[in-house]
Every structure is written in C-alpha cells, then in structure tokens.
C-alpha cells in the first residue's frame, strides 16, 4: 500500500512554508527521504525514471529544489562506505547524466543550491559521503558537456552556460559586488544561498582530477581546457581572501594541465600537422 504523503515527516518539512506541491509524483519525492531502505530505493527508481524520460516537461525551480532535498535526505539515511558510494554513483551517472538536455543546467544549479544550504549542517560522520557526492556530480557535469559534443554557446548544454553557473556557485568569489542588484531583488530567498568556503575548496581540490578523468573517456576528445578553467582564473583574480586566490593559482599551475592543453592544441592543429607529415615522408634528400 502506498504511504500516506500527508503523514510523511519529509512531506511535512516540505510544506511547512505553506507551499503547494506541483509535482505529480510527490509520493516518490517524499519517500526518497524516508528512513526505510526499501521505500527509499523504490522512490529513487520512480524519480530516476520520471526525470530521465520527461523530455517535454518543464520543471519549476521550486519543484527541482524539492527533488534535490529528497535526494539529499536519501543519502543522509544511507549507510556510509559502499552503500553510499553506490547511491552517489547512481545519482550522478544513472540519473543526472541521463536527464534531457533542457533539464541539465536547472538540475545542476538546484543541486549546488541545496548542497550549499545543507553543507554547514553536516556532521563529521556524514561529511565524507557528501563530499564524494559533490565530486561525482561535478565530474558528471563535465561528462555531460563531453557527451553533448562540447557545444560552446548552446542555451541548454553550452560550455559557456556551465562556466557561468560554476562562477555563481560553487566557485563564486565570495564578494558581494559579484551579485547584480537587480538579480538580488528578483531571486527567491530559497535559491539565494551563499557558497561555504568548504565547498569552494573541495571543488578546487578535485577540479583537475575530474577534468583529467573526463578527458580520458570516450567522449573526452576536444575538451576546451582553457574555457573550463575560467572559473579558476576568476577566483585567482577576485577571490575574497588571499588564501583562496593562492589556492586558485596553485590549481592553474598543476602539471597535469600541460598535458590537457597539449591535447587541446593537437586537436586544433591535427589536420595541418598530418598534411605536413605527408610532405616530409615524400622527401628523398638532395640529388647530386
């Protein structure tokens, strides 16, 4: 028998502000945050199926925030180590990597909003699995761009839009002047969440690792390395603290980036080099 949504503690928390549910599968959304393992797994399957098949459905920011909160509590109640690792892998690879392109940026944005909001409340026993979740979602976001062919200016899955999102969160500079006054007035209080320094430093720590990992995948060819590094350069120049700016500089000096840049240069100049190679092979020396 389906659980009574009105009696779900998670549902009560969601509606405590007096908002009305607009998600047709709210039973699954609520049950994803349940304590019972079977309820969570069944709900997660329902949410995954729904999000990955709704190509013509428009989700409001509030709807996505409700989903993100349910996924957050789903991980909260999951035991650490292997069970948590399996869940975060499912959420990042099976769910997020398979959402329709129009849902990519909204889903990623509300993920970071939720993560920033809940991060300060995490206890030390649960911190590791959430940092793993953030790492896997960050990598999955780059992998999604690769899967879509590194489109630069696409409104749904463009690299430029991804960079803008990263610069707002999780790699915002921490300076108040970075928030446009008009934008500040129009953004709902639920979505206006500051990025904790712990989140910034964690993303910085894994940035090159995950770029390298994606570059070595089947879809990684043609990675726009310099464009993906723009949020780090911005932090190096405008980070709110000297320590943050120094950290960003260290990331930009990572030796592994040289290899990634060479791969990008080879991709751009590959045709010319191939033509030149043919000419060299045909030279037989100076005739007497």
């Amino acid at each position: 028998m389906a659980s009574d949504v009105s009696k779900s503690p998670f549902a009560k928390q969601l509606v405590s502000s007096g908002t009305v549910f607009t998600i047709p599968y709210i039973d699954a959304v609520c049950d994803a945050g349940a304590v019972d393992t079977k309820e969570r797994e069944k709900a997660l399957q329902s949410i995954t199926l729904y999000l990955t098949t709704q190509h013509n459905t428009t989700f409001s920011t509030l709807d996505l925030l409700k989903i993100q909160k349910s996924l957050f509590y789903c991980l909260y109640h999951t035991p650490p180590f292997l069970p948590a690792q399996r869940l975060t892998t499912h959420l990042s690879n099976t769910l997020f990597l398979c959402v329709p392109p129009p849902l990519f940026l909204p889903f990623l944005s509300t993920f970071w909003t939720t993560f920033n909001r809940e991060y300060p409340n995490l206890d030390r026993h649960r911190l590791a699995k959430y940092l793993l979740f953030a790492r896997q979602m960050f990598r999955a976001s780059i992998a999604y761009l690769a899967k879509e062919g590194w489109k630069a200016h696409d409104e749904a899955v463009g690299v430029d839009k991804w960079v803008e999102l990263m610069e707002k969160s999780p790699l915002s500079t921490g300076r108040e002047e970075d928030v446009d006054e008009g934008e500040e007035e129009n953004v709902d209080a639920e979505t206006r969440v500051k990025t904790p320094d712990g989140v910034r430093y964690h993303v910085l720590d894994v940035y090159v690792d995950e770029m390298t990992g994606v570059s070595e995948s089947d879809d990684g060819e043609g990675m726009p390395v310099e464009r993906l590094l723009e949020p780090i350069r911005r932090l190096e120049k405008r980070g709110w603290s000297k320590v943050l700016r120094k950290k960003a500089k260290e990331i930009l000096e990572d030796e592994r980036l040289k290899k990634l840049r060479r791969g990008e240069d080879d991709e751009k100049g590959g045709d010319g080099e191939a033509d030149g190679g043919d000419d060299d092979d045909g030279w037989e020396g100076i005739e007497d």
Side-chain angles (χ1 to χ4, degrees):
M1 180 180 295
S3 59
D4 186 348
V5 177
S6 64
K7 295 181 180 180
S8 166
F10 182 66
K12 291 178 181 178
Q13 185 177 14
L14 287 179
V15 300
S16 60
S17 61
T19 56
V20 178
F21 287 119
T22 59
I23 310 174
Y25 50 99
I26 192 59
D27 285 49
V29 174
C30 293
D31 287 344
V35 176
D36 183 75
T37 302
K38 291 184 178 180
E39 284 188 20
R40 287 202 312 271
E41 292 178 350
K42 183 178 179 180
L44 187 58
Q45 291 176 0
S46 298
I47 293 175
T48 301
L49 179 63
Y50 190 86
L51 290 179
T52 56
T53 56
Q54 299 303 303
H55 295 269
N56 299 316
T57 300
T58 301
F59 293 86
S60 69
T61 299
L62 184 58
D63 283 346
L64 289 175
L65 285 170
K66 291 174 182 177
I67 293 172
Q68 296 292 357
K69 182 175 283 190
S70 73
L71 299 180
F72 181 93
Y73 280 105
C74 184
L75 180 57
Y76 187 90
H77 292 302
T78 300
F81 308 117
L82 288 179
Q85 185 177 348
R86 285 195 294 267
L87 176 59
T88 55
T89 300
H90 173 87
L91 294 177
S92 58
N93 293 346
T94 306
L95 196 164
F96 178 50
L97 264 179
C98 297
V99 297
L103 194 54
F104 167 64
L105 289 173
F107 192 91
L108 184 62
S109 177
T110 52
F111 165 78
W112 286 118
T113 296
T114 302
F115 196 89
N116 291 338
R117 184 184 61 238
E118 303 294 346
Y119 179 84
N121 302 320
L122 293 174
D123 58 71
R124 62 188 179 89
H125 301 292
R126 291 184 170 90
L127 182 59
K129 62 184 179 182
Y130 279 99
L131 292 180
L132 174 63
F133 189 21
R135 179 180 191 135
Q136 290 182 326
M137 284 294 290
F138 173 71
R139 175 169 180 158
S141 71
I142 302 179
Y144 200 108
L145 298 176
K147 178 170 68 82
E148 294 295 322
W150 305 111
K151 299 174 183 176
H153 309 298
D154 191 277
E155 288 295 318
V157 293
V159 175
D160 290 347
K161 291 294 182 181
W162 180 88
V163 169
E164 290 178 12
L165 191 157
M166 293 297 294
E167 290 177 346
K168 290 182 179 180
S169 175
L171 293 181
S172 62
T173 63
R175 296 180 182 274
E176 293 293 336
E177 60 266 28
D178 285 345
V179 180
D180 182 75
E181 293 183 0
E183 179 183 356
E184 180 75 13
E185 294 175 357
N186 294 328
V187 175
D188 187 270
E190 181 73 6
T191 64
R192 191 172 60 244
V193 180
K194 292 184 178 180
T195 302
D197 267 344
V199 177
R200 284 194 190 91
Y201 286 114
H202 178 61
V203 175
L204 286 173
D205 283 338
V206 305
Y207 211 96
V208 179
D209 287 345
E210 302 312 326
M211 281 182 61
T212 302
V214 173
S215 72
E216 295 171 351
S217 67
D218 293 339
D219 296 323
E221 187 175 354
M223 174 182 284
V225 178
E226 298 302 333
R227 189 70 182 107
L228 295 180
L229 291 174
E230 281 301 314
I232 312 293
R233 292 196 187 89
R234 187 166 180 264
L235 275 184
E236 181 192 19
K237 295 178 180 178
R238 297 180 53 82
W240 76 272
S241 71
K242 183 178 180 180
V243 176
L244 183 59
R245 294 193 297 273
K246 182 180 179 181
K247 178 67 174 178
K249 183 179 180 181
E250 292 174 356
I251 300 302
L252 293 173
E253 293 173 350
D254 192 305
E255 290 295 321
R256 292 171 295 175
L257 290 177
K258 294 181 180 179
K259 181 179 179 181
L260 291 178
R261 290 186 176 108
R262 284 199 298 269
E264 183 179 22
D265 292 340
D266 291 345
E267 181 70 19
K268 291 179 180 179
D271 293 340
E273 292 178 0
D275 292 340
D278 291 341
D279 292 340
D280 289 341
D281 290 339
W283 187 69
E284 298 179 353
I286 301 175
E287 296 181 1
D288 293 337

